[in-house]
Amino acid sequence: MPRFPFLDLATVNAPFLPELQQALWRVGSSGRYVGGVEVESFERELAQMTGTRHAVGVSNGLDALRLILRGYVAMGAIPAGGEVIAPANTYVATILAITDAGLRPVLVDPDPSTMNLPLEGLERYITPRTAAVMNVHLYGRVNHSESLERVCRERGLKLIEDNAQAIGARWHGRMTGSLGDAAAFSFYPTKNIGALGDAGAVTTDDTHLAATVRALANYGSSRRYVNLYQGFNCRLDPLQAAVLRVKLPFADRENELRRAVAEVYLSQIHNPLIRLPQAPSEPGEHVWHQFVVQSPEREALTAFLDANGIGWDIHYPTPPHLQPCYRGLAAAGTLPEAERLSQECVSLPISGRCTTTADARAIATLLRRFRP
Ligand SMILES: *Cc1c(COP(=O)(O)O)cnc(C)c1O
């Protein structure tokens, strides 16, 4: 293990272990291993925290995204084959959900200052076939504006949040997951709130969508042995629901630990070869799922990080349109910012559980000395 590990999940979960043990025991002794009170309670608690009318626990974040899109298609709210605007530098799962639902991703080059979908000028990408905007709060940075809300409302587009990376973040005091028509959460173990395995959720104020997602995730059935849809089995496991009920109340505290590390990096890494992420700007928060720097000398930088025992990762080395499975989606060179980011980005350790502010100061001191 490097001196400064990128992320060590055992360390992340260590403070919760006594309570997790009780939660797992509770499920184990309950005799109820699918659905039940743990899942229902988790859904109620997530909806309350997010400020939405409904939360539906599902198997993972990708399934949360695809169930939202397939739900809207089943309801007739999104036409089959409709276009969905999405950022070109997102994690591939965002795009997998769009194509899985039989929809067409329209990839937009990110705003270089936020690394998120540009909030101005989105109208340029809207066509008569546009049905939705898939907005990703990438790296934990809230990406939202009144103009985005207005454009979606005026053009009749569903505004969907991929909130896999920004749980607990606020915009004007409103939580991510409540900023659009529907939102997908992931509780993959490395996310800011992680389960002990795969887990996810959908939040929405739309009662019809919530019921459709719930049915689709349960073989397409809301009444036993009556199948409204050709559905799936994408239910949230009660063991993971019980785990998440332990961790969810600490989302603010976990995010605060990340913020403290980010503040050290932002104020103490001074190096012309390392471009820092933009500090959050009011009214949107940043919960620092990743701390992503950019360097034209990435290979030398990662070698330097290795030599100094600093863990790192790359989010993400290949944008979706250059993946083998998406040949033909967009030609190489047509999304220059996404492509440049994939070549130049490096993620530094940011989990406040594994990286103390003292560690962050030591890492910043080392990085000030980086020369290729
Ligand atoms: C993690 C992630 C997903 C997928 O979530 P899983 O639970 O891993 O399926 C989707 N979108 C983004 C932006 C993510 O970071």
Side-chain angles (χ1 to χ4, degrees):
M1 181 108 60
R3 181 168 159 223
F4 304 108
F6 181 72
L7 183 62
D8 172 42
L9 292 173
T11 304
V12 168
N13 284 315
F16 299 105
L17 280 180
E19 272 195 86
L20 291 177
Q21 194 172 21
Q22 283 180 24
L24 296 178
W25 185 267
R26 204 165 64 229
V27 175
S29 57
S30 73
R32 184 73 195 258
Y33 306 126
V34 173
V37 66
E38 295 293 339
V39 173
E40 287 161 19
S41 302
F42 166 71
E43 289 175 340
R44 200 166 47 244
E45 288 154 13
L46 180 65
Q48 189 167 21
M49 167 183 158
T50 310
T52 53
R53 289 175 64 182
H54 307 282
V56 182
V58 299
S59 33
N60 57 60
L62 172 57
D63 283 343
L65 287 164
R66 55 199 281 268
L67 289 165
I68 291 170
L69 292 168
R70 282 179 174 262
Y72 278 136
V73 172
M75 288 158 60
I78 289 184
E83 293 175 0
V84 180
I85 291 172
N89 59 323
T90 185
Y91 180 54
V92 71
T94 317
I95 310 304
L96 292 173
I98 297 170
T99 53
D100 171 80
L103 303 169
R104 225 178 71 71
V106 174
L107 300 176
V108 174
D109 222 16
D111 179 333
S113 62
T114 63
M115 299 185 260
N116 268 320
L117 202 63
L119 291 170
E120 301 300 325
L122 262 195
E123 290 93 332
R124 274 194 290 145
Y125 301 93
I126 298 175
T127 75
R129 294 169 61 78
T130 308
V133 174
M134 179 65 82
N135 189 25
V136 186
H137 306 296
L138 198 66
Y139 307 145
R141 182 191 189 90
V142 179
N143 195 51
H144 195 76
S145 70
E146 263 132 34
S147 70
L148 176 66
E149 280 185 12
R150 192 184 56 247
V151 167
C152 290
R153 194 173 49 240
E154 286 174 0
R155 302 295 194 103
L157 311 180
K158 295 294 180 195
L159 177 56
I160 302 165
E161 295 173 84
D162 180 339
N163 195 31
Q165 302 192 357
I167 188 168
R170 293 166 178 82
W171 182 84
H172 268 306
R174 287 160 61 197
M175 302 291 278
T176 54
S178 72
L179 301 175
D181 295 293
F185 288 70
S186 166
F187 302 102
Y188 185 77
T190 63
K191 302 291 157 98
N192 288 26
I193 294 294
L196 302 184
D198 280 308
V202 171
T203 54
T204 182
D205 284 336
D206 183 336
T207 303
H208 189 185
L209 178 68
T212 308
V213 164
R214 193 179 289 288
L216 281 173
N218 186 51
Y219 320 109
S221 167
S222 46
R223 200 146 54 87
R224 209 161 177 223
Y225 304 129
V226 180
N227 290 78
L228 290 173
Y229 312 106
Q230 297 171 21
F232 317 95
N233 179 346
C234 299
R235 297 175 300 224
L236 173 63
D237 191 294
L239 276 170
Q240 301 303 344
V243 164
L244 290 169
R245 293 184 68 203
V246 170
K247 296 184 71 177
L248 201 58
F250 296 101
D252 279 345
R253 195 181 74 185
E254 296 297 303
N255 288 340
E256 208 47 60
L257 292 173
R258 290 172 179 271
R259 208 167 274 142
V261 175
E263 276 164 14
V264 172
Y265 287 156
L266 286 173
S267 62
Q268 299 190 17
I269 300 176
H270 309 288
N271 188 321
L273 291 169
I274 300 174
R275 185 167 152 202
L276 298 176
Q278 199 188 62
S281 50
E282 291 286 316
E285 293 181 347
H286 202 318
V287 292
W288 300 105
H289 174 59
Q290 300 296 351
F291 190 95
V292 177
V293 302
Q294 298 167 47
S295 178
E297 302 284 348
R298 182 169 72 182
E299 248 191 65
L301 178 57
T302 54
F304 178 88
L305 292 168
D306 283 337
N308 285 282
I310 304 169
W312 55 274
D313 206 338
I314 292 180
H315 301 94
Y316 300 92
T318 307
H321 69 285
L322 300 182
Q323 293 289 353
C325 71
Y326 283 130
R327 209 165 300 129
L329 189 57
T334 56
L335 295 158
E337 192 56 29
E339 291 173 26
R340 189 191 58 77
L341 270 171
S342 72
Q343 300 292 314
E344 298 190 357
C345 68
V346 181
S347 305
L348 299 180
I350 188 65
S351 157
R353 293 265 167 221
C354 306
T355 312
T356 64
T357 49
D359 293 337
R361 282 194 294 276
I363 291 169
T365 303
L366 288 164
L367 284 175
R368 282 202 297 271
R369 290 187 209 130
F370 165 65
R371 300 287 178 276

